[in-house]
Amino acid sequence: MDVAITVLHSYVSKRVDQMVGSGLVEEDKSFFDPKIHEYSYGIRRAIGVPEMDEFFRSEGLVDGETRAMPLKTAIDEIKMNTFKLACRQIEMILRMSEEFGWQMHRLNATEVFLRPGGDAIEAWEKLVLEPSTNIVAHFIYKENIDPKPTFGTPSNAIAVATTNN
């Protein structure tokens, strides 16, 4: 699926805000240990955990208003690192596609993310579900698949691959 970079960035930002609203800070606190400064292994490597370190270390040392700054910084870093991860994943998929000669079918899903509620569901079915189902059906039944994109690809988009290997 292709999604315009600006739309992906906006989506990641909103998604992290939702996660914070749903208890991300409290969940991350369960991984915090003031005696440990190491974030290079296990669950402590997960995006969100190392970014919250300074915020958790400030607990009890500064007032609530002052403490809001490291929280905002941590949330901004989580957003940035999540966006970078999404971009690295796309780069890896594209690189593997080139290295292994995978056939790519790019579907532009930007419109899905721009539409509200039921309109998004309708756009998903038309722009992603239906073409994806057709691509998989062609793959399973070993029929030739039109290598052209099913829908236009924005010039500033990223892609996810399907393979015929």
Side-chain angles (χ1 to χ4, degrees):
M1 288 189 321
D2 281 336
V3 178
I5 295 281
T6 55
V7 173
L8 177 65
H9 195 274
S10 175
Y11 176 79
V12 165
S13 180
K14 288 177 189 173
R15 180 67 184 118
V16 170
D17 288 339
Q18 290 171 343
M19 292 168 62
V20 169
S22 295
L24 175 71
V25 176
E26 295 78 15
E27 181 180 342
D28 280 358
K29 185 159 180 133
S30 68
F31 301 111
F32 176 71
D33 182 341
K35 298 173 190 163
I36 300 174
H37 294 272
E38 179 64 42
Y39 290 95
S40 63
Y41 62 91
I43 191 68
R44 295 177 55 80
R45 285 184 61 195
I47 293 177
V49 176
E51 292 88 349
M52 298 297 285
D53 183 80
E54 184 180 337
F55 171 70
F56 293 136
R57 290 185 190 284
S58 72
E59 188 172 31
L61 302 176
V62 296
D63 64 29
E65 188 174 315
T66 304
R67 195 158 182 254
M69 186 54 126
L71 178 60
K72 181 186 179 329
T73 300
I75 292 169
D76 288 346
E77 287 177 10
I78 292 168
K79 290 176 181 181
M80 179 182 60
N81 290 337
T82 302
F83 180 73
K84 285 180 181 179
L85 173 63
C87 291
R88 279 194 314 268
Q89 289 171 334
I90 297 306
E91 289 171 3
M92 187 182 315
I93 290 168
L94 293 173
R95 187 177 64 243
M96 288 187 325
S97 172
E98 289 175 13
E99 287 178 17
F100 300 119
W102 293 348
Q103 185 178 8
M104 300 268 301
H105 300 277
R106 301 174 83 167
L107 305 174
N108 183 359
T110 301
E111 190 66 29
V112 175
F113 290 86
L114 296 176
R115 292 188 183 185
D119 288 344
I121 293 169
E122 182 181 320
W124 174 262
E125 290 172 356
K126 178 182 177 189
L127 300 174
V128 178
L129 181 61
E130 184 180 320
S132 296
T133 302
N134 290 335
I135 290 167
V136 171
H138 286 292
F139 173 79
I140 290 171
Y141 298 111
K142 307 286 187 221
E143 296 176 10
N144 291 330
I145 303 171
D146 183 357
K148 296 175 190 159
T150 307
F151 294 93
T153 303
S155 60
N156 64 340
I158 56 179
V160 176
T162 61
T163 176
N164 61 356
N165 293 335

